Amino acid sequence: MAFFIASSPHAHNKRSTPDVMKWVAICALPGLAAQSYFFGWGSIIQLVFAIFIALAMEAGVMLLRKRPPLSAIRDNSALVTAWLLAVSIPPLSPWWIIVIGLFFAIVIAKHLYGGIGQNLFNPAMVAYVVLLISFPVQMTSWIAPHQLSQDPISFLDSLSLIFTNFNLDGMSLQQVRAGIDGVTMATPLDAFKTALHSGNTVYEALKQPQFDGLAGIGWEWVNIAYLLGGLIMIRQKIISWHIPVSFLAGLFITSALFMLVSPGETASPTIHLLSGATMLGAFFIATDPVSASTTVKGRLIYGFFIGFMVFIIRSFGGFPDGVAFSVLLANMCVPMIDYYTKPRTYGH
């Protein structure tokens, strides 16, 4: 009999790693469908391309490490990393954004620390932050949802824009985003934040065309779709409820308190919960079993801290959404959180 030594977390789960990762991808399908419905074919094209690049990089690194590549590919961890990064970036980002991002996610953030189970930070979020800081224009070039778009972008146009930066009519991405009126459409969180910094009231900010409903056209349904997928994961015991619930509670409580203290100066809890990457972050990113806290109390603290930091970065930071930065900051705090929340030894 062989004795295998593996790194934490040592979770008692009858499911194998490939099975868990497969379920994560399956439960992310509703969110992907919603994104594709409101923002076009770009997300699906990015996802297919990202999976191909991620598997190739995973195999290449394993060969360089003189280890069997098929075992690493079959655990589906590279697939999930590619999935999370592909749905986090703007749908029509140039192809090299995915390549650079996955290099940092798989080669640097994952295998430089020893591979799956030994990375300190969430690989997809490391890639996202590197891309956002290095290429802010490409990483903030979101297109308007199809309800506000004057000319929906076809599959072939999306493919051409991603790989050539021009559509079939020769228009660049910025021209496509601007449309015939020459005005580009910002995301709800970005539009709301910019409006407040420009001296507008919350009521005036919500009069913008991006807002029509609970938290922004398209984005609220994307978040509801990821919420549905997250609940399925909890029901299937793929993840525990502690991190998602504490994440959402931290974001809700903090935004509600600030709204009571400074009414008219911050977004409502509804906007924070149903806009941006809130539900994707709560159920699919923050729950990474390797980089998250491993104790029950620690998970509650870990999730609440992320929710709190998401509000702080969104409201007072330089970026419209703060999920990636908040998750990485919480990853840094995991050793301390686990140290002070470890269960007491029986009899002590």
Side-chain angles (χ1 to χ4, degrees):
M1 295 180 62
F3 180 72
F4 295 99
I5 300 176
S7 62
S8 61
H10 305 289
H12 296 280
N13 195 332
K14 294 181 181 180
R15 298 183 185 275
S16 62
T17 298
D19 190 40
V20 170
M21 295 298 175
K22 179 185 69 177
W23 268 102
V24 172
I26 291 173
C27 293
L29 284 174
L32 175 66
Q35 279 188 244
S36 302
Y37 174 77
F38 287 103
F39 300 104
W41 290 96
S43 295
I44 295 178
I45 297 172
Q46 297 281 9
L47 175 60
V48 174
F49 181 62
I51 291 175
F52 174 78
I53 296 298
L55 295 180
M57 286 187 178
E58 185 87 359
V61 174
M62 292 299 287
L63 288 173
L64 288 175
R65 297 179 63 191
K66 298 181 179 180
R67 297 188 178 185
L70 287 180
S71 60
I73 292 176
R74 287 171 180 167
D75 65 22
N76 294 328
S77 61
L79 182 146
V80 171
T81 298
W83 194 302
L84 294 177
L85 183 61
V87 299
S88 297
I89 66 174
L92 299 180
S93 299
W95 62 271
W96 48 266
I97 287 287
I98 278 289
V99 175
I100 294 174
L102 288 174
F103 174 80
F104 277 94
I106 292 176
V107 179
I108 305 298
K110 181 181 177 181
H111 283 286
L112 198 64
Y113 287 92
I116 184 172
Q118 302 185 58
N119 47 286
L120 300 179
F121 303 98
N122 186 297
M125 293 301 97
V126 170
Y128 182 87
V129 167
V130 169
L131 292 173
L132 183 61
I133 294 174
S134 304
F135 311 103
V137 174
Q138 289 80 5
M139 289 296 290
T140 54
S141 297
W142 284 86
I143 59 175
H146 69 83
Q147 291 93 331
L148 300 176
S149 178
Q150 299 158 341
D151 187 15
I153 303 172
S154 67
F155 173 81
L156 293 178
D157 277 334
S158 299
L159 196 65
S160 181
L161 282 165
I162 291 172
F163 289 100
T164 69
N165 200 39
F166 295 93
N167 67 3
L168 299 180
D169 295 326
M171 297 176 63
S172 68
L173 176 58
Q174 296 306 318
Q175 291 173 319
V176 171
R177 290 183 64 227
I180 59 175
D181 58 3
V183 179
T184 57
M185 187 72 65
T187 61
L189 285 174
D190 195 17
F192 187 88
K193 190 172 188 177
T194 302
L196 291 185
H197 288 175
S198 300
N200 296 306
T201 65
V202 170
Y203 177 77
E204 291 171 335
L206 295 177
K207 295 294 288 183
Q208 298 181 79
Q210 293 94 328
F211 296 95
D212 183 18
L214 296 175
I217 295 177
W219 292 94
E220 57 196 26
W221 291 107
V222 170
N223 275 275
I224 291 172
Y226 280 117
L227 171 62
L228 174 63
L231 294 177
I232 294 174
M233 285 201 296
I234 293 177
R235 180 69 178 83
Q236 293 293 326
K237 297 184 178 180
I238 303 299
I239 60 174
S240 65
W241 61 268
H242 303 86
I243 293 176
V245 171
S246 58
F247 178 118
L248 298 178
L251 182 56
F252 176 85
I253 292 172
T254 308
S255 58
L257 289 175
F258 270 82
M259 192 174 68
L260 291 174
V261 173
S262 303
E265 296 182 10
T266 58
S268 67
T270 303
I271 293 176
H272 279 292
L273 291 176
L274 295 178
S275 192
T278 300
M279 296 300 172
L280 176 66
F283 291 95
F284 294 88
I285 295 174
T287 54
D288 174 29
V290 178
S291 56
S293 179
T294 57
T295 67
V296 174
K297 292 181 180 178
R299 289 171 184 163
L300 295 174
I301 297 171
Y302 173 85
F304 192 93
F305 175 75
I306 294 176
F308 171 79
M309 289 306 302
V310 166
F311 173 83
I312 296 298
I313 295 173
R314 283 179 177 179
S315 301
F316 308 107
F319 298 94
D321 203 353
V323 171
F325 292 97
S326 302
V327 169
L328 294 182
L329 288 171
N331 290 161
M332 295 179 188
C333 301
V334 163
M336 182 182 69
I337 294 174
D338 283 352
Y339 178 81
Y340 286 105
T341 59
K342 58 185 177 183
R344 299 189 63 173
T345 306
Y346 180 74
H348 289 76

